[in-house]
Structures are given as C-alpha cells and as structure tokens.
Amino acid sequence: MQRYFVTPAQFAEDRVEITGDDARHITKVMRGRLGDKFILSDGVSREALFKIDDMDGHRVLAVLLEPLEMNHEPRLQVTIAQSLPKGDKMETVIQKCTEIGAVSFVPFLSERTIVQYDAKKEVKRLERWRKIAKEAAEQAHRNRIPAVDQPMSWKNLLAAFDGYDAVYFCYEKESGAQLRDKLKPFVEAVLQADDSKASLLLVVGPEGGFTEQECRAAEQAGAVSVALGRRILRCETAGMTALACALYESGEMGGV
Ligand code: SAH
C-alpha cells in the first residue's frame, strides 16, 4: 500500500490535510478516488491507515481509519558518514542506504575530498538530499525518514564519534581487522535483549580514499579501522555494502 510522511503536527488530528508533492502524487500519479486508502506516518512515532475523504488537484483531505504498529525500523541504528563524493553520488548513497535501513547520514569533508564546498548551493543541495531520503523511506516502507546532516568538517566528525556505541572506519588499506570480525562480537554484545538498540557509525572515504594520518586520527578518536574484504569498492558502494553487512549480522535481513 502507498505510504506518505506528514509532519507530527499534521498528524495530531484524525483528519489530515495533505498538500504539495504528496497531494499531487495521490491525485495525479496514483489517480486517487474518494475512499481510497493509504498509510500516513509522522516519521517519528505514529502511523495509521487513512482514506481519502475529499480532494482537489492541490490538496487531499484524509480521515484516520485505524492506527498501525510501526515495526519496519532496524534495532541496529546505523549512521553513514560519507566523505563528500563527486557529482550526484551522495544522492545514490542516501537513496540506497535509506532503502537498506540507515537511520541517518553525515556528509563530511576530508583531505582528499575533491568537490568544492559551495556554501551558496548548500541549502538547495541539503533540501534535495532530504527529499531523496523522504521518498526512499516511503518507497521502502520505512517508519522513519533518515536525518541528513549538513556537511561537517573532519574535526567535527571526529568529535561526534563519542555519540555512538561503535565507530567503524572503513579503510581500504587496512590489512588487519575485517568488518565481520568486529561486527559479530559487537552485535552479540549489544543486541542481546529483543528490544535492545545500538548505534553504529560507518565512516567512508571519498574517491581518493583516506590518508594514513586520517586513519590514525580516527583511531585516536575511538574508531576501529576495518577492511571490507579483499576488493576495493567505489566510495558510493562501500557504505551500502558495509551497512547491508551490519544489518545482516544483526538479523535485520530476515531469516534469523
Ligand atoms: N582510491 C582508493 C580507493 C578509495 S575507495 C584506492 O584506489 O585505493 C573509497 C572509500 O571506500 C575508501 O576510503 C573506504 O572508506 C571505502 N572502501 C572501499 N573499499 C574498501 C575496502 N576493501 N575496505 C575498507 N574500506 C573500503
């Protein structure tokens, strides 16, 4: 069933007015008719089945039919810290990792970041990234829209490490620790109880990779440097791969 996100304020009532892109999607793309049902989520704590009560080309008025349980979110809360890649690769990272189950994104600048940071374009770009996260979350039946932070400096990224239960620094030159060796004991230790949650930050470099110095600094700030097997992945592939591995290991990909 089609689903849409509205703000918690909109969701406060049993009747919700939907405008903008979502209203257009319901009326034009889905060719909605009175009585058609869809799911609305406030992206935080409420989700329910609604039906169309009234509409015109620009707005849809929906009434609540029944509350639904929110149970599509992973217990392992993975954040992807991605050194800004070239072109529209960050959009790919956000879209794919949202589908897989990342809970937030932290773009950052590192020594070999190639893109020029343009503060003027920043607002528009951030808006676009957040829209991509929202649409991917709807498509993937997520209950939450992953947060997308403003690009941060390397220094601020290191300072943020403390906020996570574990930080894995994906380092293409790592010859010791493999992601799985670190993941297995971590997941077993932190996700013992059925309702327990844990947070993990995956740090991924740009096209040119990380420098040795950056790796040392990350380790000093509390990260564990890990390799993702014996092949080198492109920067936009590394995060989604590590994320899928982490969620598989924590039993989030079914079959456990
Ligand atoms: N240009 C570099 C590769 C950079 S890959 C080179 O040729 O060596 C871009 C980023 O993806 C890396 O900084 C790292 O964060 C991640 N990555 C890719 N393959 C990896 C691997 N096998 N192990 C760990 N991290 C990897």
Side-chain angles (χ1 to χ4, degrees), residues 82 112 169-174 203-210 226-236 238-239:
Q82 172 78 57
R112 298 195 184 134
F169 182 82
C170 301
Y171 190 38
E172 61 278 16
K173 295 199 195 88
E174 177 58 53
V203 185
V204 180
E207 287 83 353
F210 283 124
V226 293
L228 310 174
R230 283 173 283 153
R231 290 155 298 279
I232 300 294
L233 307 168
R234 280 182 182 248
C235 58
E236 70 273 31

PDB file of all heavy atoms in Angstrom, residues 82 112 169-174 203-210 226-236 238-239, ligand 1:
ATOM      1  N   GLN A  82      29.776   9.910   5.198  1.00  0.00           N
ATOM      2  CA  GLN A  82      30.349   9.774   3.853  1.00  0.00           C
ATOM      3  C   GLN A  82      31.133  11.025   3.485  1.00  0.00           C
ATOM      4  O   GLN A  82      30.567  12.127   3.472  1.00  0.00           O
ATOM      5  CB  GLN A  82      29.205   9.542   2.846  1.00  0.00           C
ATOM      6  CG  GLN A  82      29.602   9.578   1.393  1.00  0.00           C
ATOM      7  CD  GLN A  82      30.291   8.292   0.937  1.00  0.00           C
ATOM      8  OE1 GLN A  82      29.730   7.203   1.065  1.00  0.00           O
ATOM      9  NE2 GLN A  82      31.508   8.413   0.429  1.00  0.00           N
ATOM     10  N   ARG A 112      41.164  14.311   1.038  1.00  0.00           N
ATOM     11  CA  ARG A 112      41.112  14.082  -0.407  1.00  0.00           C
ATOM     12  C   ARG A 112      39.725  14.307  -1.015  1.00  0.00           C
ATOM     13  O   ARG A 112      39.447  13.833  -2.116  1.00  0.00           O
ATOM     14  CB  ARG A 112      41.586  12.656  -0.716  1.00  0.00           C
ATOM     15  CG  ARG A 112      43.029  12.427  -0.303  1.00  0.00           C
ATOM     16  CD  ARG A 112      43.577  11.171  -0.927  1.00  0.00           C
ATOM     17  NE  ARG A 112      44.920  10.898  -0.472  1.00  0.00           N
ATOM     18  CZ  ARG A 112      45.348   9.703  -0.064  1.00  0.00           C
ATOM     19  NH1 ARG A 112      44.516   8.667  -0.076  1.00  0.00           N
ATOM     20  NH2 ARG A 112      46.582   9.537   0.337  1.00  0.00           N
ATOM     21  N   PHE A 169      35.783   2.638  10.937  1.00  0.00           N
ATOM     22  CA  PHE A 169      36.426   3.474   9.927  1.00  0.00           C
ATOM     23  C   PHE A 169      36.790   2.556   8.753  1.00  0.00           C
ATOM     24  O   PHE A 169      37.687   1.707   8.887  1.00  0.00           O
ATOM     25  CB  PHE A 169      37.670   4.113  10.554  1.00  0.00           C
ATOM     26  CG  PHE A 169      38.416   5.044   9.668  1.00  0.00           C
ATOM     27  CD1 PHE A 169      38.002   6.362   9.505  1.00  0.00           C
ATOM     28  CD2 PHE A 169      39.553   4.619   8.994  1.00  0.00           C
ATOM     29  CE1 PHE A 169      38.704   7.235   8.679  1.00  0.00           C
ATOM     30  CE2 PHE A 169      40.257   5.491   8.170  1.00  0.00           C
ATOM     31  CZ  PHE A 169      39.831   6.799   8.023  1.00  0.00           C
ATOM     32  N   CYS A 170      36.045   2.666   7.652  1.00  0.00           N
ATOM     33  CA  CYS A 170      36.283   1.775   6.510  1.00  0.00           C
ATOM     34  C   CYS A 170      37.541   2.237   5.794  1.00  0.00           C
ATOM     35  O   CYS A 170      37.546   3.292   5.145  1.00  0.00           O
ATOM     36  CB  CYS A 170      35.090   1.782   5.552  1.00  0.00           C
ATOM     37  SG  CYS A 170      33.572   1.253   6.353  1.00  0.00           S
ATOM     38  N   TYR A 171      38.602   1.440   5.944  1.00  0.00           N
ATOM     39  CA  TYR A 171      39.910   1.860   5.436  1.00  0.00           C
ATOM     40  C   TYR A 171      40.411   0.846   4.418  1.00  0.00           C
ATOM     41  O   TYR A 171      40.660  -0.323   4.745  1.00  0.00           O
ATOM     42  CB  TYR A 171      40.888   1.980   6.613  1.00  0.00           C
ATOM     43  CG  TYR A 171      42.197   2.631   6.258  1.00  0.00           C
ATOM     44  CD1 TYR A 171      42.254   3.697   5.365  1.00  0.00           C
ATOM     45  CD2 TYR A 171      43.386   2.191   6.825  1.00  0.00           C
ATOM     46  CE1 TYR A 171      43.458   4.303   5.043  1.00  0.00           C
ATOM     47  CE2 TYR A 171      44.602   2.788   6.512  1.00  0.00           C
ATOM     48  CZ  TYR A 171      44.629   3.842   5.617  1.00  0.00           C
ATOM     49  OH  TYR A 171      45.817   4.446   5.286  1.00  0.00           O
ATOM     50  N   GLU A 172      40.532   1.331   3.190  1.00  0.00           N
ATOM     51  CA  GLU A 172      40.883   0.433   2.083  1.00  0.00           C
ATOM     52  C   GLU A 172      42.262  -0.176   2.240  1.00  0.00           C
ATOM     53  O   GLU A 172      42.564  -1.201   1.643  1.00  0.00           O
ATOM     54  CB  GLU A 172      40.745   1.186   0.749  1.00  0.00           C
ATOM     55  CG  GLU A 172      41.630   2.402   0.546  1.00  0.00           C
ATOM     56  CD  GLU A 172      41.099   3.689   1.206  1.00  0.00           C
ATOM     57  OE1 GLU A 172      40.210   3.601   2.065  1.00  0.00           O
ATOM     58  OE2 GLU A 172      41.613   4.761   0.881  1.00  0.00           O
ATOM     59  N   LYS A 173      43.106   0.456   3.075  1.00  0.00           N
ATOM     60  CA  LYS A 173      44.463  -0.093   3.226  1.00  0.00           C
ATOM     61  C   LYS A 173      44.597  -0.929   4.497  1.00  0.00           C
ATOM     62  O   LYS A 173      45.700  -1.359   4.849  1.00  0.00           O
ATOM     63  CB  LYS A 173      45.479   1.050   3.277  1.00  0.00           C
ATOM     64  CG  LYS A 173      45.548   1.842   1.986  1.00  0.00           C
ATOM     65  CD  LYS A 173      46.844   2.648   1.905  1.00  0.00           C
ATOM     66  CE  LYS A 173      46.759   3.705   0.830  1.00  0.00           C
ATOM     67  NZ  LYS A 173      46.181   4.973   1.334  1.00  0.00           N
ATOM     68  N   GLU A 174      43.498  -1.150   5.181  1.00  0.00           N
ATOM     69  CA  GLU A 174      43.555  -1.936   6.418  1.00  0.00           C
ATOM     70  C   GLU A 174      43.914  -3.388   6.074  1.00  0.00           C
ATOM     71  O   GLU A 174      43.271  -4.012   5.227  1.00  0.00           O
ATOM     72  CB  GLU A 174      42.187  -1.883   7.129  1.00  0.00           C
ATOM     73  CG  GLU A 174      42.092  -2.713   8.386  1.00  0.00           C
ATOM     74  CD  GLU A 174      43.127  -2.324   9.428  1.00  0.00           C
ATOM     75  OE1 GLU A 174      43.222  -1.143   9.772  1.00  0.00           O
ATOM     76  OE2 GLU A 174      43.868  -3.240   9.869  1.00  0.00           O
ATOM     77  N   VAL A 203      32.212   5.024   8.736  1.00  0.00           N
ATOM     78  CA  VAL A 203      32.884   6.174   8.120  1.00  0.00           C
ATOM     79  C   VAL A 203      33.504   5.742   6.784  1.00  0.00           C
ATOM     80  O   VAL A 203      34.303   4.801   6.752  1.00  0.00           O
ATOM     81  CB  VAL A 203      33.977   6.730   9.057  1.00  0.00           C
ATOM     82  CG1 VAL A 203      34.590   8.000   8.469  1.00  0.00           C
ATOM     83  CG2 VAL A 203      33.411   6.991  10.451  1.00  0.00           C
ATOM     84  N   VAL A 204      33.101   6.420   5.712  1.00  0.00           N
ATOM     85  CA  VAL A 204      33.541   6.032   4.365  1.00  0.00           C
ATOM     86  C   VAL A 204      34.248   7.194   3.679  1.00  0.00           C
ATOM     87  O   VAL A 204      33.781   8.340   3.740  1.00  0.00           O
ATOM     88  CB  VAL A 204      32.327   5.582   3.514  1.00  0.00           C
ATOM     89  CG1 VAL A 204      32.765   5.167   2.113  1.00  0.00           C
ATOM     90  CG2 VAL A 204      31.581   4.439   4.196  1.00  0.00           C
ATOM     91  N   GLY A 205      35.343   6.892   3.004  1.00  0.00           N
ATOM     92  CA  GLY A 205      36.164   7.926   2.372  1.00  0.00           C
ATOM     93  C   GLY A 205      35.663   8.360   1.001  1.00  0.00           C
ATOM     94  O   GLY A 205      34.719   7.799   0.465  1.00  0.00           O
ATOM     95  N   PRO A 206      36.342   9.354   0.422  1.00  0.00           N
ATOM     96  CA  PRO A 206      35.986   9.855  -0.921  1.00  0.00           C
ATOM     97  C   PRO A 206      36.672   8.998  -1.999  1.00  0.00           C
ATOM     98  O   PRO A 206      37.340   8.015  -1.670  1.00  0.00           O
ATOM     99  CB  PRO A 206      36.554  11.263  -0.907  1.00  0.00           C
ATOM    100  CG  PRO A 206      37.771  11.150  -0.039  1.00  0.00           C
ATOM    101  CD  PRO A 206      37.476  10.093   1.002  1.00  0.00           C
ATOM    102  N   GLU A 207      36.537   9.415  -3.255  1.00  0.00           N
ATOM    103  CA  GLU A 207      37.117   8.668  -4.386  1.00  0.00           C
ATOM    104  C   GLU A 207      38.597   8.355  -4.153  1.00  0.00           C
ATOM    105  O   GLU A 207      39.072   7.265  -4.463  1.00  0.00           O
ATOM    106  CB  GLU A 207      36.997   9.461  -5.689  1.00  0.00           C
ATOM    107  CG  GLU A 207      35.602   9.543  -6.272  1.00  0.00           C
ATOM    108  CD  GLU A 207      34.758  10.641  -5.651  1.00  0.00           C
ATOM    109  OE1 GLU A 207      35.205  11.274  -4.669  1.00  0.00           O
ATOM    110  OE2 GLU A 207      33.650  10.878  -6.157  1.00  0.00           O
ATOM    111  N   GLY A 208      39.317   9.327  -3.626  1.00  0.00           N
ATOM    112  CA  GLY A 208      40.759   9.156  -3.437  1.00  0.00           C
ATOM    113  C   GLY A 208      41.133   8.427  -2.162  1.00  0.00           C
ATOM    114  O   GLY A 208      42.319   8.243  -1.857  1.00  0.00           O
ATOM    115  N   GLY A 209      40.160   8.033  -1.390  1.00  0.00           N
ATOM    116  CA  GLY A 209      40.415   7.285  -0.154  1.00  0.00           C
ATOM    117  C   GLY A 209      40.857   8.173   1.007  1.00  0.00           C
ATOM    118  O   GLY A 209      40.858   9.406   0.904  1.00  0.00           O
ATOM    119  N   PHE A 210      41.236   7.515   2.097  1.00  0.00           N
ATOM    120  CA  PHE A 210      41.710   8.225   3.286  1.00  0.00           C
ATOM    121  C   PHE A 210      43.232   8.211   3.328  1.00  0.00           C
ATOM    122  O   PHE A 210      43.883   7.334   2.758  1.00  0.00           O
ATOM    123  CB  PHE A 210      41.205   7.508   4.547  1.00  0.00           C
ATOM    124  CG  PHE A 210      39.755   7.763   4.861  1.00  0.00           C
ATOM    125  CD1 PHE A 210      38.873   6.689   4.998  1.00  0.00           C
ATOM    126  CD2 PHE A 210      39.270   9.049   5.044  1.00  0.00           C
ATOM    127  CE1 PHE A 210      37.534   6.901   5.312  1.00  0.00           C
ATOM    128  CE2 PHE A 210      37.937   9.263   5.351  1.00  0.00           C
ATOM    129  CZ  PHE A 210      37.069   8.195   5.488  1.00  0.00           C
ATOM    130  N   VAL A 226      38.567  -0.847   9.773  1.00  0.00           N
ATOM    131  CA  VAL A 226      38.187  -2.168   9.261  1.00  0.00           C
ATOM    132  C   VAL A 226      38.302  -2.231   7.735  1.00  0.00           C
ATOM    133  O   VAL A 226      38.151  -1.224   7.047  1.00  0.00           O
ATOM    134  CB  VAL A 226      36.722  -2.555   9.634  1.00  0.00           C
ATOM    135  CG1 VAL A 226      36.563  -2.749  11.125  1.00  0.00           C
ATOM    136  CG2 VAL A 226      35.722  -1.545   9.088  1.00  0.00           C
ATOM    137  N   ALA A 227      38.534  -3.433   7.243  1.00  0.00           N
ATOM    138  CA  ALA A 227      38.544  -3.684   5.800  1.00  0.00           C
ATOM    139  C   ALA A 227      37.244  -4.374   5.423  1.00  0.00           C
ATOM    140  O   ALA A 227      36.675  -5.119   6.222  1.00  0.00           O
ATOM    141  CB  ALA A 227      39.737  -4.570   5.442  1.00  0.00           C
ATOM    142  N   LEU A 228      36.792  -4.111   4.201  1.00  0.00           N
ATOM    143  CA  LEU A 228      35.564  -4.753   3.704  1.00  0.00           C
ATOM    144  C   LEU A 228      35.956  -5.827   2.688  1.00  0.00           C
ATOM    145  O   LEU A 228      35.612  -5.742   1.514  1.00  0.00           O
ATOM    146  CB  LEU A 228      34.649  -3.720   3.030  1.00  0.00           C
ATOM    147  CG  LEU A 228      34.346  -2.433   3.787  1.00  0.00           C
ATOM    148  CD1 LEU A 228      33.559  -1.463   2.916  1.00  0.00           C
ATOM    149  CD2 LEU A 228      33.540  -2.755   5.035  1.00  0.00           C
ATOM    150  N   GLY A 229      36.704  -6.788   3.136  1.00  0.00           N
ATOM    151  CA  GLY A 229      37.110  -7.863   2.239  1.00  0.00           C
ATOM    152  C   GLY A 229      38.338  -7.490   1.434  1.00  0.00           C
ATOM    153  O   GLY A 229      39.034  -6.519   1.746  1.00  0.00           O
ATOM    154  N   ARG A 230      38.600  -8.262   0.357  1.00  0.00           N
ATOM    155  CA  ARG A 230      39.857  -8.122  -0.372  1.00  0.00           C
ATOM    156  C   ARG A 230      39.744  -7.324  -1.657  1.00  0.00           C
ATOM    157  O   ARG A 230      40.677  -7.243  -2.439  1.00  0.00           O
ATOM    158  CB  ARG A 230      40.421  -9.515  -0.686  1.00  0.00           C
ATOM    159  CG  ARG A 230      41.077 -10.147   0.530  1.00  0.00           C
ATOM    160  CD  ARG A 230      41.468 -11.571   0.230  1.00  0.00           C
ATOM    161  NE  ARG A 230      40.301 -12.446   0.273  1.00  0.00           N
ATOM    162  CZ  ARG A 230      40.197 -13.577  -0.415  1.00  0.00           C
ATOM    163  NH1 ARG A 230      41.142 -13.946  -1.216  1.00  0.00           N
ATOM    164  NH2 ARG A 230      39.122 -14.318  -0.288  1.00  0.00           N
ATOM    165  N   ARG A 231      38.577  -6.749  -1.895  1.00  0.00           N
ATOM    166  CA  ARG A 231      38.424  -5.927  -3.102  1.00  0.00           C
ATOM    167  C   ARG A 231      38.200  -4.469  -2.708  1.00  0.00           C
ATOM    168  O   ARG A 231      37.714  -4.204  -1.625  1.00  0.00           O
ATOM    169  CB  ARG A 231      37.247  -6.440  -3.945  1.00  0.00           C
ATOM    170  CG  ARG A 231      37.537  -7.781  -4.597  1.00  0.00           C
ATOM    171  CD  ARG A 231      36.292  -8.546  -4.896  1.00  0.00           C
ATOM    172  NE  ARG A 231      35.539  -8.878  -3.696  1.00  0.00           N
ATOM    173  CZ  ARG A 231      35.833  -9.901  -2.896  1.00  0.00           C
ATOM    174  NH1 ARG A 231      36.868 -10.681  -3.163  1.00  0.00           N
ATOM    175  NH2 ARG A 231      35.126 -10.138  -1.814  1.00  0.00           N
ATOM    176  N   ILE A 232      38.554  -3.584  -3.600  1.00  0.00           N
ATOM    177  CA  ILE A 232      38.358  -2.151  -3.334  1.00  0.00           C
ATOM    178  C   ILE A 232      37.031  -1.728  -3.957  1.00  0.00           C
ATOM    179  O   ILE A 232      36.794  -1.944  -5.145  1.00  0.00           O
ATOM    180  CB  ILE A 232      39.500  -1.297  -3.938  1.00  0.00           C
ATOM    181  CG1 ILE A 232      40.855  -1.707  -3.350  1.00  0.00           C
ATOM    182  CG2 ILE A 232      39.242   0.188  -3.715  1.00  0.00           C
ATOM    183  CD1 ILE A 232      41.017  -1.410  -1.877  1.00  0.00           C
ATOM    184  N   LEU A 233      36.192  -1.153  -3.133  1.00  0.00           N
ATOM    185  CA  LEU A 233      34.871  -0.720  -3.603  1.00  0.00           C
ATOM    186  C   LEU A 233      34.903   0.778  -3.894  1.00  0.00           C
ATOM    187  O   LEU A 233      35.661   1.521  -3.274  1.00  0.00           O
ATOM    188  CB  LEU A 233      33.829  -1.005  -2.529  1.00  0.00           C
ATOM    189  CG  LEU A 233      33.810  -2.448  -2.017  1.00  0.00           C
ATOM    190  CD1 LEU A 233      32.958  -2.554  -0.767  1.00  0.00           C
ATOM    191  CD2 LEU A 233      33.293  -3.384  -3.082  1.00  0.00           C
ATOM    192  N   ARG A 234      34.061   1.209  -4.805  1.00  0.00           N
ATOM    193  CA  ARG A 234      33.936   2.644  -5.049  1.00  0.00           C
ATOM    194  C   ARG A 234      33.343   3.295  -3.813  1.00  0.00           C
ATOM    195  O   ARG A 234      32.626   2.645  -3.047  1.00  0.00           O
ATOM    196  CB  ARG A 234      33.006   2.897  -6.235  1.00  0.00           C
ATOM    197  CG  ARG A 234      33.668   2.704  -7.555  1.00  0.00           C
ATOM    198  CD  ARG A 234      32.674   3.036  -8.631  1.00  0.00           C
ATOM    199  NE  ARG A 234      33.266   2.826  -9.927  1.00  0.00           N
ATOM    200  CZ  ARG A 234      33.542   3.812 -10.777  1.00  0.00           C
ATOM    201  NH1 ARG A 234      33.254   5.061 -10.469  1.00  0.00           N
ATOM    202  NH2 ARG A 234      34.089   3.563 -11.938  1.00  0.00           N
ATOM    203  N   CYS A 235      33.584   4.612  -3.682  1.00  0.00           N
ATOM    204  CA  CYS A 235      33.141   5.270  -2.451  1.00  0.00           C
ATOM    205  C   CYS A 235      31.631   5.149  -2.250  1.00  0.00           C
ATOM    206  O   CYS A 235      31.164   5.010  -1.122  1.00  0.00           O
ATOM    207  CB  CYS A 235      33.604   6.723  -2.386  1.00  0.00           C
ATOM    208  SG  CYS A 235      33.063   7.734  -3.746  1.00  0.00           S
ATOM    209  N   GLU A 236      30.844   5.183  -3.353  1.00  0.00           N
ATOM    210  CA  GLU A 236      29.390   5.109  -3.162  1.00  0.00           C
ATOM    211  C   GLU A 236      28.909   3.668  -2.926  1.00  0.00           C
ATOM    212  O   GLU A 236      27.770   3.454  -2.536  1.00  0.00           O
ATOM    213  CB  GLU A 236      28.645   5.754  -4.347  1.00  0.00           C
ATOM    214  CG  GLU A 236      28.706   4.998  -5.656  1.00  0.00           C
ATOM    215  CD  GLU A 236      29.932   5.338  -6.495  1.00  0.00           C
ATOM    216  OE1 GLU A 236      30.989   5.653  -5.918  1.00  0.00           O
ATOM    217  OE2 GLU A 236      29.836   5.265  -7.741  1.00  0.00           O
ATOM    218  N   ALA A 238      30.830   1.416  -1.008  1.00  0.00           N
ATOM    219  CA  ALA A 238      31.364   0.937   0.270  1.00  0.00           C
ATOM    220  C   ALA A 238      30.346   1.060   1.410  1.00  0.00           C
ATOM    221  O   ALA A 238      30.130   0.109   2.172  1.00  0.00           O
ATOM    222  CB  ALA A 238      32.643   1.704   0.608  1.00  0.00           C
ATOM    223  N   GLY A 239      29.698   2.224   1.527  1.00  0.00           N
ATOM    224  CA  GLY A 239      28.764   2.446   2.634  1.00  0.00           C
ATOM    225  C   GLY A 239      27.584   1.496   2.594  1.00  0.00           C
ATOM    226  O   GLY A 239      27.229   0.882   3.601  1.00  0.00           O
TER     227      GLY A 239
HETATM  228  N1  SAH B   1      41.233   5.371  -4.396  1.00  0.00           N
HETATM  229  C1  SAH B   1      41.412   4.400  -3.393  1.00  0.00           C
HETATM  230  C2  SAH B   1      40.108   3.713  -3.054  1.00  0.00           C
HETATM  231  C3  SAH B   1      39.114   4.561  -2.369  1.00  0.00           C
HETATM  232  S1  SAH B   1      37.653   3.689  -2.154  1.00  0.00           S
HETATM  233  C4  SAH B   1      42.352   3.338  -3.872  1.00  0.00           C
HETATM  234  O1  SAH B   1      42.476   3.176  -5.076  1.00  0.00           O
HETATM  235  O2  SAH B   1      42.926   2.657  -3.020  1.00  0.00           O
HETATM  236  C5  SAH B   1      36.653   4.857  -1.324  1.00  0.00           C
HETATM  237  C6  SAH B   1      36.343   4.529   0.111  1.00  0.00           C
HETATM  238  O3  SAH B   1      35.553   3.347   0.172  1.00  0.00           O
HETATM  239  C7  SAH B   1      37.526   4.259   0.983  1.00  0.00           C
HETATM  240  O4  SAH B   1      38.116   5.409   1.509  1.00  0.00           O
HETATM  241  C8  SAH B   1      36.925   3.391   2.086  1.00  0.00           C
HETATM  242  O5  SAH B   1      36.271   4.188   3.055  1.00  0.00           O
HETATM  243  C9  SAH B   1      35.891   2.588   1.326  1.00  0.00           C
HETATM  244  N2  SAH B   1      36.416   1.293   0.871  1.00  0.00           N
HETATM  245  C10 SAH B   1      36.438   0.825  -0.396  1.00  0.00           C
HETATM  246  N3  SAH B   1      36.916  -0.429  -0.444  1.00  0.00           N
HETATM  247  C11 SAH B   1      37.220  -0.771   0.830  1.00  0.00           C
HETATM  248  C12 SAH B   1      37.748  -1.949   1.442  1.00  0.00           C
HETATM  249  N4  SAH B   1      38.087  -3.016   0.746  1.00  0.00           N
HETATM  250  N5  SAH B   1      37.886  -1.940   2.796  1.00  0.00           N
HETATM  251  C13 SAH B   1      37.567  -0.868   3.524  1.00  0.00           C
HETATM  252  N6  SAH B   1      37.065   0.258   3.005  1.00  0.00           N
HETATM  253  C14 SAH B   1      36.884   0.326   1.680  1.00  0.00           C
END
